Amino acid sequence: MGKEIELKLQIAPQAAGLAVQWGEAQGEMNLRPLRSVYFDTPGRSLAMAGLSLRTRYDGAGFIQTVKAAKGKAAGLFTREEWEKEVVSERPELGTDTPLAGLPRQTLDALAPLFSVEVERGSLDIARGNSVIEMAIDTGVVAADDRRADFCEIELELKSGEPHALFELTRELDALVSLRLGVMTKSERGYRLLDAVAESAKAGSIALSADLSVEDGFAAIASACIRQYRINEDILLRRRSPDALHQARVGLRRLRSALTLFKPVVADDRHSRFGDELKWLAAELGHARDLDVLYDRARSNELRIAIARLRESAHGALEDTLGSARARALMIDLAEWIAVGAWRDAEDRAEGQTSTGEFAAHALEKSFRKFKKHSEGLAALSDEDRHEVRKLAKKLRYGSDFFAALYDDKKRAKRHHRFIDHLQSVQDHLGKLNDMAAAPGLLARNGLDETDGAEGVLSGADTADTLRKAETARDALVELKPFWV
């Protein structure tokens, strides 16, 4: 068994040739075709267990590899792997990998699900006292009659410090415009088997109560980056409104995590990341506002006017997402999460030694703040209700982050009830916010005099929504918290 520390990066297929030329200038590059076949059961038992099984032919022979992922990563992947030579494309299941612990019927049901064929150029690159293997893969994933092209660079640390992976990444980015990679090749195959996704919602986060608070933050922040990057890719391919919304959710969740864990992760870069994420979220916000307006427009004239503005806004957004600033932000964040200065700090807040202890304290603090600021909700100003809405979101994100810590039957039931009530509060507050913001949004875009603008607020009953919001809020604060 070995441990793989690897940074995945995406590049445009047309930039592959330039990347190969750069690699060849660093030393002798080994070029070879690779064909990998991935196995799982029809019900995807291996994927559900966090495992992947493949056999790969490299022109000389077959290698079987089993990998065990420790949660979903963002850029920097650390995985345990087991490799051995086999005589054919069919896997040989022994007793020396995690597969040995699976039920016999699962192993008997393993079958090829998809294949990955790549042209790989690879070489070792020395940077200081570190040695990094760089592999440039240009290839295709095939499942049944579906195919998807891709091009990626993998940087695997052979010796030395992980920082060297990111230093080399910045050197390459200046040449071929890299984006942080968040999916393994096996994930590409599984996604190809599924229906084309318009967006990717936040997934569950594998946490345990005894996990260090530092590693708990890293898992949560990486999950947020992953959500953002998957949706960013969908957005750039198809301008999907759902992907734009979920990309913004990913950024908001990440900003909430930075705030929530500030006692643990605050260092000389913490505030800078908060500012940069706020900037990026605002850049996505303009196009998102127009998406929402378009859905609510009732007249053809208004829809046509909004559609023109949307087209321009999405074009500008694509330029922003392709900028060096936006690309570097995700790569810098991945490095900071993995090996930032905050991990070496000695002045940790007293008592915050594990994720479980930290979660209970953080959730209680967030709930108290929400209760205090939401008192007398119906009488609050629009601005104050907007602040309450943001507090509700932060409470929701924290509750979602730590859900895995409260999965026993009793607390899971309380968690589910808490989320249901909190969702009701968020829904009503969201409607109130839309009512308050719509006139200004129409005016800022020069649409307030357009035929049909008055219909954007048609049927809106502010008084009724306020009553429902306050009732939902009062029901929520009466619940017994799931974290106690």
Side-chain angles (χ1 to χ4, degrees):
M1 181 187 77
K3 185 164 285 189
E4 181 183 47
I5 301 178
E6 178 184 272
L7 183 63
K8 283 188 176 291
L9 305 157
Q10 290 180 201
I11 63 173
Q14 58 267 30
L18 190 58
V20 170
Q21 289 178 15
W22 181 90
E24 290 174 336
Q26 309 303 308
E28 185 175 355
M29 180 171 280
N30 178 29
L31 298 174
R32 54 179 174 153
L34 300 173
R35 171 180 165 80
S36 299
V37 178
Y38 287 78
F39 294 80
D40 205 336
T41 67
R44 306 184 188 182
S45 300
L46 297 191
M48 291 174 63
L51 301 171
S52 70
L53 168 64
R54 76 168 187 230
T55 55
R56 170 179 287 171
Y57 183 69
D58 61 3
F62 292 92
I63 300 292
Q64 173 181 297
T65 304
V66 177
K67 293 186 180 183
K70 295 184 177 179
K72 303 297 186 182
L76 194 64
F77 291 75
T78 303
R79 296 172 292 178
E80 293 178 332
E81 63 172 26
W82 294 258
E83 284 192 344
K84 68 177 181 181
E85 294 182 0
V86 290
V87 299
S88 71
E89 189 175 86
R90 289 293 306 175
E92 299 175 8
L93 305 177
T95 60
D96 56 347
T97 77
L99 298 180
L102 297 176
R104 186 71 250 173
Q105 59 268 32
T106 297
L107 300 179
D108 290 341
L110 293 175
L113 288 191
F114 53 87
S115 64
V116 179
E117 296 190 29
V118 302
E119 184 71 25
R120 167 169 290 184
S122 61
L123 79 161
D124 287 346
I125 298 176
R127 287 294 184 271
N129 63 351
S130 299
V131 177
I132 300 163
E133 179 185 45
M134 182 179 79
I136 304 171
D137 288 347
T138 303
V140 61
V141 184
D144 298 328
D145 59 346
R146 300 182 184 180
R147 294 169 61 87
D149 297 326
F150 70 94
C151 187
E152 65 183 20
I153 294 177
E154 297 179 356
L155 302 178
E156 184 177 348
L157 187 67
K158 294 296 187 181
S159 63
E161 297 298 323
H163 280 294
L165 296 175
F166 294 93
E167 291 169 3
L168 184 56
T169 294
R170 296 184 182 96
E171 190 175 338
L172 283 164
D173 180 62
L175 179 72
V176 293
S177 299
L178 301 170
R179 293 183 189 274
L180 187 69
V182 296
M183 286 199 298
T184 63
K185 290 184 177 68
S186 63
E187 286 182 287
R188 291 182 185 277
Y190 284 111
R191 285 184 173 269
L192 193 61
L193 290 168
D194 296 328
V196 175
E198 288 299 315
S199 64
K201 293 186 177 182
S204 59
I205 303 173
L207 298 176
S208 61
D210 59 355
L211 187 70
S212 74
V213 67
E214 295 85 2
D215 287 344
F217 167 74
I220 289 167
S222 291
C224 296
I225 293 178
R226 175 182 167 83
Q227 181 187 6
Y228 168 76
R229 278 289 299 118
I230 291 175
N231 284 289
E232 182 189 33
D233 282 346
I234 296 172
L235 175 61
L236 290 170
R237 287 197 304 271
R238 294 196 296 280
R239 293 189 176 181
S240 163
D242 288 343
L244 174 54
H245 171 60
Q246 289 299 328
R248 291 187 73 212
V249 170
L251 293 179
R252 286 200 301 263
R253 294 174 73 238
L254 182 53
R255 290 174 64 196
S256 290
L258 288 177
T259 301
L260 189 69
F261 283 88
K262 186 175 180 179
V264 177
V265 302
D267 60 13
D268 58 346
R269 304 183 76 188
H270 178 269
S271 62
R272 179 240 168 186
F273 285 128
D275 291 342
E276 286 295 279
L277 289 169
K278 185 176 181 179
W279 159 76
L280 185 56
E283 292 293 314
L284 271 67
H286 182 52
R288 174 60 182 167
D289 287 342
L290 291 169
D291 284 345
V292 173
L293 273 185
Y294 184 83
D295 288 341
R296 298 179 65 178
R298 295 295 177 263
S299 74
N300 287 336
E301 183 178 346
L302 184 59
R303 289 176 73 87
I304 291 170
I306 296 173
R308 289 177 182 147
L309 292 172
R310 283 176 75 197
E311 189 72 14
S312 176
H314 276 274
L317 177 58
E318 287 168 9
D319 289 341
T320 297
L321 296 179
S323 68
R325 181 180 180 181
R327 297 194 318 271
L329 174 56
M330 292 298 122
I331 292 170
D332 290 349
L333 273 165
E335 178 182 32
W336 180 73
I337 291 166
V339 289
W342 63 273
R343 282 188 170 274
D344 299 324
E346 297 179 356
D347 54 346
R348 296 283 178 234
E350 186 177 351
Q352 295 174 355
T353 57
S354 71
T355 296
E357 293 167 341
F358 180 87
H361 172 79
L363 289 169
E364 181 62 31
K365 181 179 178 181
S366 182
F367 194 31
R368 285 201 309 267
K369 192 170 184 179
F370 169 79
K371 287 192 288 187
K372 176 182 177 182
H373 288 273
S374 63
E375 286 183 12
L377 185 62
L380 297 178
S381 66
D382 290 340
E383 292 78 9
D384 287 339
R385 277 197 300 271
H386 181 57
E387 291 304 312
V388 171
R389 179 171 175 254
K390 291 195 289 187
L391 290 174
K393 284 184 178 180
K394 290 178 180 178
L395 179 59
R396 172 63 182 274
Y397 296 149
S399 298
D400 288 343
F401 290 156
F402 300 119
L405 304 180
Y406 307 101
D407 60 354
D408 60 276
K409 187 175 181 179
K410 184 177 180 180
R411 290 196 293 183
K413 186 176 181 180
R414 290 213 306 262
H415 180 271
H416 184 74
R417 185 184 303 117
F418 189 89
I419 293 297
D420 281 349
H421 281 68
L422 182 53
Q423 182 64 59
S424 179
V425 174
Q426 288 182 271
D427 288 344
H428 294 307
L429 290 175
K431 289 179 182 178
L432 289 167
N433 184 70
D434 289 345
M435 294 176 200
L441 185 56
L442 288 166
R444 284 196 302 275
N445 287 282
L447 300 169
D448 49 328
E449 299 298 326
T450 305
D451 180 48
E454 69 282 353
V456 171
L457 292 177
S458 62
D461 187 339
T462 303
D464 181 59
T465 306
L466 272 172
R467 284 193 296 271
K468 291 177 179 177
E470 191 160 51
T471 298
R473 178 266 176 196
D474 292 344
L476 174 65
V477 300
E478 291 299 319
L479 292 179
K480 182 176 182 180
F482 60 86
W483 55 85
V484 296

